[in-house]
CSV table of all heavy atoms in Angstrom, one decimal:
chain,number,residue,atom,x,y,z
A,9,ASP,N,18.7,-48.2,8.8
A,9,ASP,CA,19.4,-48.5,7.5
A,9,ASP,C,19.1,-47.4,6.5
A,9,ASP,O,17.9,-47.1,6.2
A,9,ASP,CB,18.8,-49.8,7.0
A,9,ASP,CG,19.5,-50.3,5.7
A,9,ASP,OD1,20.5,-49.6,5.3
A,9,ASP,OD2,19.1,-51.3,5.1
A,10,PRO,N,20.1,-46.8,5.9
A,10,PRO,CA,19.9,-45.7,4.9
A,10,PRO,C,19.1,-46.2,3.7
A,10,PRO,O,18.3,-45.4,3.2
A,10,PRO,CB,21.3,-45.3,4.5
A,10,PRO,CG,22.2,-45.7,5.7
A,10,PRO,CD,21.5,-46.9,6.2
A,11,LYS,N,19.3,-47.4,3.3
A,11,LYS,CA,18.6,-47.9,2.2
A,11,LYS,C,17.1,-48.0,2.5
A,11,LYS,O,16.2,-47.8,1.6
A,11,LYS,CB,19.1,-49.3,1.7
A,11,LYS,CG,20.5,-49.3,1.2
A,11,LYS,CD,20.9,-50.7,0.8
A,11,LYS,CE,22.4,-50.6,0.2
A,11,LYS,NZ,22.8,-52.0,-0.2
A,12,ALA,N,16.8,-48.4,3.7
A,12,ALA,CA,15.3,-48.5,4.1
A,12,ALA,C,14.7,-47.1,4.1
A,12,ALA,O,13.5,-46.9,3.8
A,12,ALA,CB,15.2,-49.1,5.5
A,13,LEU,N,15.5,-46.1,4.6
A,13,LEU,CA,14.9,-44.7,4.6
A,13,LEU,C,14.7,-44.2,3.2
A,13,LEU,O,13.7,-43.5,2.9
A,13,LEU,CB,15.9,-43.8,5.4
A,13,LEU,CG,16.0,-44.0,6.9
A,13,LEU,CD1,17.1,-43.1,7.5
A,13,LEU,CD2,14.7,-43.8,7.6
A,14,ASP,N,15.6,-44.5,2.3
A,14,ASP,CA,15.5,-44.1,0.9
A,14,ASP,C,14.3,-44.7,0.3
A,14,ASP,O,13.6,-44.2,-0.6
A,14,ASP,CB,16.7,-44.4,0.1
A,14,ASP,CG,17.9,-43.6,0.6
A,14,ASP,OD1,17.7,-42.6,1.2
A,14,ASP,OD2,19.1,-44.0,0.3
A,15,ALA,N,14.0,-46.0,0.7
A,15,ALA,CA,12.8,-46.7,0.1
A,15,ALA,C,11.5,-46.3,0.7
A,15,ALA,O,10.5,-46.7,0.2
A,15,ALA,CB,13.1,-48.2,0.2
A,16,ALA,N,11.5,-45.6,1.9
A,16,ALA,CA,10.3,-45.3,2.6
A,16,ALA,C,9.3,-44.5,1.7
A,16,ALA,O,8.1,-44.9,1.7
A,16,ALA,CB,10.6,-44.5,3.8
A,17,PRO,N,9.7,-43.5,1.0
A,17,PRO,CA,8.6,-42.8,0.2
A,17,PRO,C,8.0,-43.7,-0.8
A,17,PRO,O,6.8,-43.6,-1.2
A,17,PRO,CB,9.5,-41.7,-0.5
A,17,PRO,CG,10.6,-41.5,0.4
A,17,PRO,CD,11.0,-42.8,0.9
A,18,ALA,N,8.8,-44.8,-1.3
A,18,ALA,CA,8.2,-45.7,-2.3
A,18,ALA,C,7.1,-46.6,-1.7
A,18,ALA,O,6.3,-47.1,-2.3
A,18,ALA,CB,9.3,-46.5,-2.9
A,19,ARG,N,7.2,-46.8,-0.3
A,19,ARG,CA,6.2,-47.6,0.4
A,19,ARG,C,5.0,-46.8,0.8
A,19,ARG,O,4.2,-47.3,1.6
A,19,ARG,CB,6.9,-48.3,1.6
A,19,ARG,CG,7.9,-49.3,1.2
A,19,ARG,CD,8.2,-50.3,2.4
A,19,ARG,NE,8.7,-49.5,3.5
A,19,ARG,CZ,10.0,-49.4,3.8
A,19,ARG,NH1,10.9,-49.9,2.9
A,19,ARG,NH2,10.4,-48.7,4.8
A,20,GLY,N,4.9,-45.5,0.4
A,20,GLY,CA,3.8,-44.7,0.7
A,20,GLY,C,4.0,-43.6,1.7
A,20,GLY,O,3.1,-42.8,2.0
A,21,TYR,N,5.2,-43.6,2.3
A,21,TYR,CA,5.6,-42.5,3.2
A,21,TYR,C,5.8,-41.2,2.5
A,21,TYR,O,6.3,-41.2,1.4
A,21,TYR,CB,6.8,-42.9,4.0
A,21,TYR,CG,6.6,-44.0,5.0
A,21,TYR,CD1,7.0,-45.3,4.6
A,21,TYR,CD2,6.0,-43.8,6.2
A,21,TYR,CE1,6.8,-46.4,5.4
A,21,TYR,CE2,5.8,-44.9,7.1
A,21,TYR,CZ,6.2,-46.2,6.7
A,21,TYR,OH,6.0,-47.2,7.5
Side-chain angles (χ1 to χ4, degrees):
D9 185 5
K11 294 182 178 180
L13 292 177
D14 292 338
R19 292 196 300 266
Y21 293 96

